[in-house]
Amino acid sequence: MTSITMEEESKLLIVLPGDQLPESGLMEDSSAAHRLTLGPGLAPMDDDSITAVKAGILKHNAVGNRWWVESNQRRYVAAQGESIIGVVTGKSAEHYKVDIGASQPALLGVLAFEGATKRNKPNHNIGDLLYCRVSMANKDMEAELECMNPTTGKADGFGELKGGFVIKISLGLARRLLDPKNLVLRLLGQHIPFEMAVGTNGKVWVNSASAQHTILICNAIRNSEYLNSAECGSMVKSLVEKM
Amino acid sequence: MRDADPSTNEREFLLAALKDGARIDGRKFYDFRTLRLTFGAEYGAVEVQLGNTRVLAKVSCEVIRPYTDKPTEGFLMFNTELSPMASAAFEVGRQTDEEVLVSRLIEKAMRRSRALDTEGLCIVAGEKVWSIRVDIHFLDHDGNLVDAACIAAITALLHFRRPDVTVVGEDVTIHTLEQRNPVPLSIHHIPICTTFAFFNNGERMIVDPTFLEEQVKEGDMTVTLNVHKEVCALSKAGGIPMEIDQILQCTKIAVVKVAEITAQIQAALEADAKKR
């Protein structure tokens, strides 16, 4: 267990589980707010100090004095509000059982779709790929999903994904792909038109005009995990030239 | 926890891509994945990486009493246990169908083909023989466990050195590693398995299937050959029926692959021998 002084906060700060962050140091940064918001990877301890519980990079956002740890793992833990890609593994009268890559399958209500009523239900088969939103998740129960925006009731892109191919990647890479400025996707989009859906559970669905292109895009995404911007550019160029 | 079946999208995409002439990972139909051999510090420990599939083989030996009806034959035992480390579908203690097939294939390929000379393991007839044990651990399952396990097993046996033994009359001295250099086992030939998976009503054959390809396949066949073009074992358990000319074509492809892999194994062994 080590203590971290806050002089290092301007540099890239890597924390390991068990590292203590002095609370006074964290409050210094924002004079106006007296509140502290802890995101994933940080937990308050009994003696009023804050300990990192995941390994990763400590990040800070001055808005609302938010602190969190950006970590990476492959196994997904359901969290409310996240958009994920799931595979239907079972059907019952009230729910679909959907595999989302977590330790338990999740439940998707049969009526949790846009414009669904008891008379007019969508019919999904086992093996179908769905893009859903996690409506409820806690560690004691199976997660619950829905295929619509809860406030508007519209589909908003959720629902069945037809065709294409889906690959499994790490959760950190999936979060980076959601960044609108992501380099690999921009470079690929300059050469090949494609559509894709990113699930924060580490699944990415890609669809393009031909199977060759889809395979190329999937391999490029997988390879881009540990490459920096220059290496990304040359990787995409070499893959496109081989086509 | 059984592995979830692949989604319909993945299944249809893989089959459509195969019809078009492409494999998901960009390989050609008859290409093996990159084979990497890493030797441990001790003799007889080797880790094989075939793409993402990882298998570890470890050889050990001990002196025991032979069977009374076979007084001059040593023992060769293979222990293959698929643990949940390789894949969530495997459970400790419960043997799945795949596990049974893998262990049977390795026994057939290595033991029945007499790759290892068991008579050469005799020390004193009727009293002391060497018992060689090969433990195969599956670390990661990304398809084609059989080929990886076979390469690991035979490479470990080639790499292994047993203690030297001197027999003077009834007196048997087993020299320690410090007293005398250990002695390699006498291996007659190097059997290598090549697994084919069939798709498209038997029209499309591919070599070295990945995990997804194995889940979607219609049938499979494993051909075990050595460099001298001798068939050590041929296993086709269930799956779609195949024509004779397709089977012969598979063996022709396997001959080429076996030559490449045997050359790679021997190069790796030589490089390792130089390092010691």
Side-chain angles (χ1 to χ4, degrees):
Chain A
M1 238 178 18
T2 60
S3 243
I4 298 167
T5 55
M6 289 330 274
E7 290 105 56
E8 304 154 66
E9 83 176 71
S10 52
K11 296 180 247 174
L12 203 66
L13 190 55
I14 296 180
V15 294
L16 296 176
D19 286 349
Q20 272 186 328
L21 281 67
E23 194 174 338
S24 54
L26 293 178
M27 295 294 271
E28 261 169 36
D29 197 55
S30 135
S31 45
H34 294 284
R35 312 186 62 201
L36 187 65
T37 315
L38 295 180
L42 295 173
M45 294 283 115
D46 290 333
D47 57 349
D48 274 347
S49 69
I50 297 172
T51 308
V53 290
K54 281 217 187 287
I57 303 174
L58 187 65
K59 290 274 174 120
H60 168 62
N61 193 341
V63 176
N65 202 12
R66 283 184 261 165
W67 294 84
W68 70 95
V69 178
E70 250 181 43
S71 59
N72 199 358
Q73 62 189 54
R74 298 194 69 94
R75 174 66 75 177
Y76 177 61
V77 176
Q80 192 185 3
E82 296 196 328
S83 309
I84 52 139
I85 295 178
V87 181
V88 177
T89 57
K91 243 163 54 152
S92 80
E94 300 239 332
H95 298 283
Y96 289 108
K97 249 207 180 72
V98 179
D99 169 42
I100 56 175
S103 56
Q104 298 259 29
L107 296 174
L108 170 61
V110 163
L111 297 176
F113 294 84
E114 176 185 353
T117 61
K118 276 216 190 111
R119 301 271 174 94
N120 177 19
K121 280 189 288 201
N123 185 21
H124 290 297
N125 305 312
I126 295 187
D128 277 356
L129 218 56
L130 297 173
Y131 194 58
C132 334
R133 184 182 169 278
V134 179
S135 61
M136 190 208 67
N138 60 38
K139 58 184 172 67
D140 303 314
M141 282 167 54
E142 290 171 334
E144 282 184 17
L145 311 171
E146 60 192 0
C147 267
M148 57 185 190
N149 188 327
T151 43
T152 64
K154 297 273 176 208
D156 264 357
F158 294 118
E160 187 179 351
L161 297 167
K162 291 198 169 66
F165 191 58
V166 71
I167 58 169
K168 182 134 187 20
I169 54 175
S170 72
L171 305 190
L173 179 60
R175 283 194 292 267
R176 289 205 295 277
L177 288 174
L178 286 169
D179 183 0
K181 299 195 288 286
N182 186 283
L183 181 63
V184 169
L185 299 177
R186 266 193 302 132
L187 291 174
L188 285 169
Q190 287 167 1
H191 301 278
I192 309 169
F194 67 98
E195 55 171 335
M196 75 175 223
V198 179
T200 38
N201 60 336
K203 295 233 174 87
V204 177
W205 173 83
V206 176
N207 192 12
S208 72
S210 84
Q212 309 268 19
H213 289 165
T214 311
I215 293 174
L216 195 152
I217 296 167
C218 289
N219 285 332
I221 292 176
R222 260 204 220 101
N223 294 343
S224 75
E225 178 152 14
Y226 299 116
L227 300 180
N228 64 25
S229 345
E231 292 165 342
C232 254
S234 52
M235 185 257 304
V236 174
K237 219 170 34 159
S238 65
L239 280 177
V240 170
E241 269 162 19
K242 255 192 261 176
M243 224 172 41
Chain B
M1 189 187 98
R2 253 202 68 220
D3 248 341
D5 282 327
S7 60
T8 321
N9 304 46
E10 288 170 274
R11 183 186 296 265
E12 283 173 3
F13 182 79
L14 199 143
L15 294 172
L18 280 175
K19 273 210 189 95
D20 265 347
R23 282 172 87 167
I24 296 293
D25 47 6
R27 279 188 282 162
K28 296 205 273 291
F29 294 128
Y30 304 138
D31 275 350
F32 256 89
R33 285 171 282 184
T34 322
L35 174 65
R36 213 170 295 152
L37 297 159
T38 322
F39 294 98
E42 297 170 5
Y43 283 116
V46 69
E47 183 188 333
V48 168
Q49 276 178 303
L50 196 58
N52 280 334
T53 300
R54 291 162 76 129
V55 178
L56 175 71
K58 180 85 180 64
V59 179
S60 51
C61 64
E62 65 168 348
V63 181
I64 58 171
R65 218 181 171 73
Y67 288 140
T68 40
D69 54 346
K70 290 200 186 111
T72 54
E73 264 189 37
F75 295 97
L76 175 60
M77 287 184 290
F78 292 95
N79 182 30
T80 57
E81 251 177 38
L82 277 71
S83 79
M85 177 160 50
S87 159
F90 303 136
E91 285 171 18
V92 184
R94 174 116 56 96
Q95 275 213 333
T96 55
D97 289 344
E98 182 169 10
E99 197 171 332
V100 171
L101 280 171
V102 169
S103 61
R104 257 185 34 204
L105 250 165
I106 294 181
E107 297 261 343
K108 267 200 289 188
M110 301 279 163
R111 187 207 299 281
R112 291 239 226 112
S113 68
R114 303 192 154 273
L116 176 65
D117 176 22
T118 45
E119 299 272 339
L121 296 175
C122 179
I123 305 172
V124 176
E127 279 182 32
K128 289 193 197 322
V129 292
W130 283 111
S131 164
I132 306 289
R133 178 198 165 101
V134 184
D135 284 298
I136 302 177
H137 303 275
F138 296 91
L139 304 175
D140 249 333
H141 182 12
D142 192 25
N144 205 4
L145 292 177
V146 174
D147 290 6
C150 179
I151 294 173
I154 196 63
T155 310
L157 285 169
L158 285 165
H159 190 242
F160 181 64
R161 303 280 182 271
R162 63 164 176 79
D164 197 5
V165 179
T166 326
V167 183
V168 178
E170 288 292 320
D171 203 24
V172 175
T173 329
I174 299 174
H175 300 278
T176 62
L177 295 172
E178 286 89 41
Q179 290 175 340
R180 288 242 198 121
N181 273 341
V183 165
L185 301 170
S186 68
I187 311 258
H188 288 312
H189 63 97
I190 304 177
I192 303 282
C193 295
T194 312
T195 302
F196 296 84
F198 306 120
F199 298 89
N200 234 340
N201 230 354
E203 285 168 14
R204 174 63 60 216
M205 301 185 287
I206 55 170
V207 171
D208 188 19
T210 59
F211 186 57
L212 183 63
E213 288 166 343
E214 271 185 1
Q215 283 178 309
V216 181
K217 71 183 178 203
E218 291 171 346
D220 71 291
M221 181 171 80
T222 304
V223 185
T224 314
L225 305 171
N226 60 25
V227 219
H228 311 296
K229 301 193 186 176
E230 296 166 329
V231 176
C232 308
L234 191 137
S235 166
K236 187 186 182 322
I240 192 173
M242 300 296 290
E243 303 281 326
I244 292 186
D245 50 351
Q246 283 168 319
I247 296 190
L248 287 175
Q249 194 188 356
C250 283
T251 46
K252 283 207 190 84
I253 298 166
V255 166
V256 176
K257 296 293 153 195
V258 165
E260 288 171 10
I261 294 178
T262 312
Q264 194 176 345
I265 292 179
Q266 278 165 341
L269 284 166
E270 273 170 29
D272 179 74
K274 282 206 192 89
K275 267 195 275 181
R276 287 181 196 266

